Amino acid sequence: MTARMDRRFSALAAEGRPALVTYFMGGDPDYASSLAIMKALPTAGADVIELGMPFSDPMADGPAIQVAGQRSLKGGQTLAKTIQMARDFRLEDADTPIVLMGYYNPIYIYGVDRFLEDALEAGIDGLIVVDLPPEMDDELCIPALRRGINFIRLATPTTDAKRLPTVLENTSGFVYYVSMNGITGSALPDPSVIGGAVRHIKDHTTLPVCVGFGVKTAEQARAIGASADGVVVGSAIVNQIASSLTADGAATEATVAGVEALVRSLASGVRGARVAAAE
Amino acid sequence: MNQSPYLNSFRGGPDEDGRFGIYGGRFVAETLMPLILELQEKWDEAKTDPEFQKELGHLGTHYIGRPSPLYFAERLTEHLGGAKIYFKREELNHTGSHKINNCIGQILLAKRMGKTRIIAETGAGQHGVASATVAARFGLPCVVYMGATDVERQAPNVFRMKLLGAEVKPVTAGSGTLKDAMNEALRDWVTNVDDTYYLIGTAAGPHPYPEMVRDFQAVIGREAREQILQAEGRLPDLVIAAVGGGSNAIGIFHPFLDDKGVKMVGVEAGGKGLDGDEHCASITAGSPGVLHGNRTYLLQDGDGQIKEGHSISAGLDYPGIGPEHSWLNDVGRAEYVPIMDHEALEAFQLLTRIEGIIPALEPSHALAEVIKRAPGMGKDEIILMNLSGRGDKDIFTVGKILGMEL
């Protein structure tokens, strides 16, 4: 396995705080602005980066990420360019783990072997592929693990005790707990319910458990971070980008700065999580 | 022809993972996996339960009007001067197409599973109308997702669905057509997992849908096989059906797949021609990929992004095809060919005038292929075509193209 992910979570555990995992769509609204956003994330306080691979038919995503994918594809983004973005980022940052997140078809068309080779060489540490459940592990998960790239699986409220071991079996890096049934960007449920679910998963695995889907504010990040090893923020960042664009979808000076400010605020939330929990 | 992996049968698929060769499978988000596994379990129980079959048969006879007639198209046969042409008259079913066969089956399953809310996607509106119909019949609320573009061009069906008590939700995401409606239905399902049943309209999607929809539609081929044996004392030489997602085609093909002398042709929407992007010929002009829960032939670009199809017929306007068709194509058991918009339109008009049957634009594609092939065949040969829907819903589209004010 690429060591960056484990190293990062161990370091955070030693620090006694959860990770801030930030998602944005690669290429939104254009390659250069998107790369600038990516480079700004670690200094603003992101611990792990989820780099979205745009897909024309994102079935598990809410309107914010759907539209971000459309902007990105319109701007000429391809899977090859998304991998290139990671490569460009790695020139300046050797430590922040990068997880590619998206859907299977673009990878399948790129070619699984070629994809894994290029991803590894570009410094990518993990994959989240929404439409590849454990039943489809032969497609990408097993080949990825063999190459040393983490395959991060989603566990959801529908993942019951019977199914959880199946979901965890070939998962590595961390477990991504989706806090509710639904699409990205919906309303966040009660943090105490989430805390129970996280403890349930942790009874079955030693991997870090990160929680996402619906986290928008520093306060929510703080509440979730009290029980989880990481807090994932996606739609809020994507919305922040959308709100900074001109009427015809071009980046402005506020695009990168807005994301930086939001991530800094979220980072203060996760940094206060355990302090708040201890009170 | 390549060997079928299913022991001298082309009817043995899918395997337990829902695969037809490399096609099919279960490419869905984790949230949906437990639901799909439960659906499969309940479907496996239901299909061998005599009570379930009895209720299905009863509703088939008294609600849908089965069996649908097998009709010898005498005047068309004479006009084309070759093979004898028979139509399986699925357009005479309640709601006017084959779609109801599947909807009745699935709503019985939904009821059995204790689900209290039905969702469906629709393109032309035929499956939406059939879903709204069975939801009304069983007293369940129904939400139909329909691309905003389709809502506009299929206004009569939208009104029908509303009359039947369904809520029609226009989908503006993406390009506002069938694939976007399917994305939106999946999003609804993922959000409302406890009470909702997703009634997929075609033989595609994650396992067990392709198998289940096929089995509900195979009543078409089973009846037709008996009827043609009774009428002609032998099997047809050629079976032709239109293919969008492919439910009417797989329904008529499947019972004939192991009859070696019976050729199968699936007709895809060639739209304005295969050179550009304005067609829906997934097999003829697409390549294998993964969308909506299954691996199958898709219209896509070099980056794996799904393209928008085009067809004069909204019911064929889908950039994919059921996985079993992809497999039947690759093993050579069925042949898939494109028919252009204008050819379908000519066939539509010919049948209307010569047989007094207004066909839907979907089977008009199959008919155009019949018109091409029949004259070259012997008078002792037989073509069986699935006349899968009636054309009342299409008169506005056709009127517009022919420059008539309605």
Side-chain angles (χ1 to χ4, degrees):
Chain A
M1 256 355 92
T2 65
R4 266 185 295 262
M5 189 84 74
D6 294 344
R7 217 157 46 213
R8 177 57 51 105
F9 277 101
S10 308
L12 292 173
E15 244 181 81
R17 70 167 178 92
L20 176 62
V21 181
T22 53
Y23 170 95
F24 72 109
M25 180 64 78
D28 173 27
D30 62 79
Y31 187 91
S33 310
S34 192
L35 179 60
I37 289 168
M38 190 174 184
K39 287 178 176 173
L41 289 172
T43 43
D47 301 302
V48 176
I49 293 175
E50 286 182 8
L51 172 55
M53 302 176 278
F55 182 47
S56 52
D57 293 78
M59 296 165 305
D61 285 302
I65 292 178
Q66 288 173 43
V67 175
Q70 283 172 9
R71 283 195 300 264
S72 154
L73 290 172
K74 204 174 145 212
Q77 191 75 0
T78 59
L79 181 52
K81 285 186 184 171
T82 306
I83 295 170
Q84 181 60 40
M85 195 170 276
R87 202 178 281 127
D88 288 348
F89 173 86
R90 275 279 170 259
L91 295 175
E92 294 179 12
D93 184 323
D95 302 317
T96 306
I98 304 172
V99 176
L100 285 182
M101 182 167 182
Y103 295 80
Y104 184 43
N105 197 52
I107 297 171
Y108 178 68
I109 296 307
Y110 193 91
V112 166
D113 287 342
R114 177 177 159 231
F115 168 76
L116 291 173
E117 195 170 312
D118 291 357
L120 203 58
E121 172 268 325
I124 285 157
D125 305 285
L127 307 173
I128 299 175
V129 183
V130 181
D131 52 353
L132 286 179
E135 281 74 6
M136 298 282 116
D137 270 357
D138 289 344
E139 296 282 336
L140 180 65
C141 173
I142 303 292
L145 295 177
R146 210 173 280 146
R147 293 264 192 161
I149 297 185
N150 290 292
F151 200 84
I152 293 141
R153 189 106 55 199
L154 275 60
T156 75
T158 60
T159 313
D160 56 17
K162 194 174 121 220
R163 186 163 168 80
L164 191 57
T166 310
V167 169
L168 295 174
E169 194 184 350
N170 290 322
T171 301
S172 68
F174 62 89
V175 179
Y176 186 157
Y177 180 66
V178 173
S179 56
M180 76 277 180
N181 297 325
I183 50 178
T184 51
S186 312
L188 189 71
D190 184 349
S192 68
V193 176
I194 294 172
V198 169
R199 279 191 296 280
H200 176 60
I201 295 171
K202 289 179 88 67
D203 284 345
H204 291 82
T205 180
T206 54
L207 291 172
V209 178
C210 299
V211 176
F213 273 42
V215 183
K216 294 183 179 72
T217 65
E219 191 44 51
Q220 289 169 331
R222 189 194 316 271
I224 301 289
S227 58
D229 301 305
V231 180
V232 187
V233 184
S235 295
I237 293 172
V238 167
N239 278 329
Q240 173 61 43
I241 294 170
S243 69
S244 75
L245 305 177
T246 64
D248 49 5
T252 64
E253 278 183 5
T255 303
V256 179
V259 172
E260 271 183 315
L262 173 64
V263 172
R264 211 170 284 127
S265 152
L266 292 163
S268 74
V270 297
R271 279 167 174 79
R274 298 294 159 79
V275 182
E279 274 167 10
Chain B
M1 193 179 291
N2 294 322
Q3 282 297 305
S4 160
Y6 305 116
L7 294 172
N8 303 319
S9 174
F10 287 99
R11 303 177 64 209
D15 67 15
E16 59 183 20
D17 296 321
R19 307 259 193 182
F20 302 90
I22 66 162
Y23 302 105
R26 284 180 285 225
F27 296 89
V28 296
E30 176 56 31
T31 316
L32 292 180
M33 262 324 289
L35 280 81
I36 280 168
L37 293 175
E38 188 202 359
L39 177 63
Q40 190 184 337
E41 191 186 313
K42 293 288 156 52
W43 162 236
D44 284 343
E45 284 168 22
K47 67 181 169 189
T48 53
D49 179 356
E51 275 304 307
F52 182 84
Q53 292 303 330
K54 199 176 138 197
E55 199 173 357
L56 187 63
H58 181 83
L59 286 162
T61 307
H62 300 283
Y63 192 68
I64 302 177
R66 304 213 68 87
S68 67
L70 181 76
Y71 170 71
F72 173 48
E74 199 176 347
R75 293 241 301 147
L76 182 67
T77 298
E78 205 173 293
H79 176 78
L80 295 173
K84 290 180 90 168
I85 298 156
Y86 280 87
F87 294 141
K88 181 63 174 160
R89 301 282 307 270
E90 289 296 301
E91 101 281 13
L92 294 177
N93 294 339
H94 179 41
T95 73
S97 82
H98 71 289
K99 291 289 185 192
I100 192 83
N101 301 329
N102 167 49
C103 286
I104 281 285
Q106 286 200 52
I107 202 143
L108 287 176
L109 192 61
K111 208 180 74 172
R112 199 181 163 100
M113 293 173 74
K115 301 293 182 184
T116 55
R117 176 175 176 266
I118 301 297
I119 58 170
E121 84 294 333
T122 197
Q126 292 305 91
H127 173 60
V129 167
S131 299
T133 299
V134 298
R137 168 65 181 75
F138 285 87
L140 296 177
C142 177
V143 173
V144 180
Y145 289 94
M146 189 169 186
T149 313
D150 290 333
V151 168
E152 252 173 64
R153 63 180 174 178
Q154 301 290 334
N157 272 342
V158 173
F159 184 57
R160 274 183 200 112
M161 287 183 264
K162 287 181 178 168
L163 278 177
L164 289 159
E167 185 188 347
V168 180
K169 287 198 178 169
V171 177
T172 50
S175 56
T177 56
L178 179 55
K179 82 175 172 78
D180 307 296
M182 200 152 179
N183 291 335
E184 211 55 39
L186 284 163
R187 289 180 190 120
D188 180 314
W189 201 23
V190 114
T191 309
N192 301 293
V193 292
D194 293 329
D195 63 346
T196 298
Y197 184 92
Y198 181 16
L199 209 173
I200 294 186
T202 194
H207 181 60
Y209 282 102
E211 176 200 88
M212 183 169 67
V213 175
R214 175 200 73 199
D215 288 354
F216 287 134
Q217 293 295 1
V219 66
I220 304 172
R222 279 199 307 273
E223 286 177 7
R225 200 169 180 283
E226 268 179 42
Q227 289 166 322
I228 196 85
L229 283 172
Q230 200 158 38
E232 290 283 345
R234 70 181 194 86
L235 295 173
D237 299 282
L238 181 60
V239 180
I240 298 186
V243 185
S247 69
N248 92 80
I250 203 68
I252 198 164
F253 287 177
H254 198 257
F256 291 100
L257 285 177
D258 287 337
D259 297 313
K260 284 203 173 102
V262 181
K263 246 186 103 169
M264 319 266 164
V265 175
V267 183
E268 299 192 299
K272 294 179 180 166
L274 300 191
D275 296 340
D277 283 340
E278 291 193 86
H279 62 80
C280 277
S282 315
I283 287 189
T284 328
S287 58
V290 174
L291 179 70
H292 293 153
N294 58 178
R295 176 166 20 234
T296 195
Y297 278 89
L298 299 172
L299 300 179
Q300 54 186 332
D301 68 14
D303 189 42
Q305 308 297 336
I306 309 304
K307 289 196 209 171
E308 284 305 321
H310 160 83
S311 170
I312 186 175
S313 145
L316 302 181
D317 208 341
Y318 180 66
I321 185 169
E324 194 165 8
H325 287 295
S326 294
W327 177 73
L328 288 172
N329 174 73
D330 284 12
V331 298
R333 180 61 188 96
E335 182 190 351
Y336 295 84
V337 299
I339 280 290
M340 309 303 139
D341 284 351
H342 70 90
E343 295 172 308
L345 196 62
E346 283 162 23
F348 173 95
Q349 295 173 83
L350 177 69
L351 191 69
T352 303
R353 288 204 209 107
I354 213 166
E355 290 283 354
I357 298 173
I358 304 179
L361 284 170
E362 292 81 16
S364 295
H365 285 71
L367 186 65
E369 188 64 20
V370 169
I371 292 169
K372 279 186 182 174
R373 293 192 185 226
M377 291 169 69
K379 290 193 176 189
D380 54 343
E381 292 188 281
I382 300 168
I383 298 177
L384 167 65
M385 189 198 101
N386 196 2
L387 188 42
S388 57
R390 66 174 181 230
D392 304 49
K393 70 177 172 70
D394 294 314
I395 56 171
F396 300 97
T397 308
V398 172
K400 205 168 159 190
I401 297 169
L402 298 180
M404 289 178 215
E405 282 285 332
L406 294 186

